[in-house]
Amino acid sequence: MAIAQLNAAPVEGVEYVFPLPHSPRAVSTVRRRAEAILTRWNLPAGAAEDVLLVISELLTNAVVHAFPPAALRLSRARLDGRDAVRVAVTDMGPAVPTCRSAATIDPDEHGRGLCIVAALSARYGVEVHPEGTSRWAEVLAE
């Protein structure tokens, strides 16, 4: 699969790659760049919103729970004859958890990201490979 620059026209088989600086602010920056690609792809508004939420959850997971570097890969896919968007975030794997007591973690604010990804995706998964760990999801684009 070819890798495209941000200003390239969308072509089937092209993958857009966005490096993710290891900072919470980077999530919104990369999300905006991905939104520009989804707009070019003319996705229906509901599908684009679902893809953007999946992107946000997977990127945040990489920043909060994994070692850098991380990158978002965004591409078109076919899933059972239907158009889909494939979102994959690769990082260097889980970071050693910091010592935080359960009392300091607000369950209303944390811990549901991968459940959201599962709910919005037709398929999702995790791949561990020599380059790191990739969490991916395929969201129907219709």
Side-chain angles (χ1 to χ4, degrees), residues 49-121:
E49 289 171 11
D50 288 352
V51 171
L52 288 171
L53 185 51
V54 166
I55 288 170
S56 293
E57 294 299 335
L58 292 179
L59 290 175
T60 300
N61 188 60
V63 169
V64 172
H65 300 292
F67 286 113
L72 165 68
R73 295 178 179 278
L74 189 62
S75 60
R76 298 299 297 260
R78 294 292 291 171
L79 184 59
D80 298 326
R82 299 167 73 183
D83 287 332
V85 175
R86 182 175 174 86
V87 176
V89 175
T90 301
D91 55 51
M92 294 310 296
V96 177
T98 59
C99 290
R100 292 184 3 186
S101 73
T104 65
I105 299 172
D106 182 353
D108 291 336
E109 296 293 325
H110 299 284
R112 296 189 316 254
L114 295 179
C115 292
I116 292 169
V117 170
L120 296 175
S121 304

Side-chain angles (χ1 to χ4, degrees), residues 69 73 90-93 128-134:
R73 295 178 179 278
T90 301
D91 55 51
M92 294 310 296
V128 178
H129 43 80
E131 295 81 32
T133 301
S134 297

